[in-house]
Amino acid sequence: MEMGAENKVGTIKPEGEIYTCPTCGYTDGFHVSFSALKNNRKAEVFLICPNCHNRFRLGWHVDLSNT
Ligand SMILES: [Zn+2]
């Protein structure tokens, strides 16, 4: 799965407990991946369905610095 295919990334509204894939209905949670943002030390978090392999973004960002 190649990162950067923005048109194939779905969205999930970040509320409640997030464990169900809106595409296929898989209910055992997601894999997690990170896409580093340009020119800073943050990355966006993507959730990947282990069943249908669709990717989802929730607008979550993490700080990659270790200081
Ligand atoms: Zn799925």
Side-chain angles (χ1 to χ4, degrees), residues 20-26 30 48-54 56:
T20 302
C21 175
T23 300
C24 72
Y26 181 80
F30 296 91
I48 304 170
C49 175
N51 186 54
C52 72
H53 307 293
N54 278 5
F56 303 95

Side-chain angles (χ1 to χ4, degrees), residues 12 15-22 25-30 47 49-50:
I12 296 176
E15 61 183 12
E17 188 175 359
I18 299 165
Y19 59 88
T20 302
C21 175
Y26 181 80
T27 58
D28 284 338
F30 296 91
L47 300 183
C49 175

Side-chain angles (χ1 to χ4, degrees), residues 1-55:
M1 186 66 63
E2 186 176 338
M3 297 295 288
E6 299 292 331
N7 58 333
K8 291 186 176 182
V9 179
T11 58
I12 296 176
K13 194 172 183 180
E15 61 183 12
E17 188 175 359
I18 299 165
Y19 59 88
T20 302
C21 175
T23 300
C24 72
Y26 181 80
T27 58
D28 284 338
F30 296 91
H31 295 309
V32 176
S33 68
F34 304 93
S35 178
L37 302 174
K38 293 175 182 173
N39 300 324
N40 64 31
R41 297 160 83 176
K42 294 181 184 287
E44 183 170 3
V45 178
F46 287 83
L47 300 183
I48 304 170
C49 175
N51 186 54
C52 72
H53 307 293
N54 278 5
R55 293 191 297 131

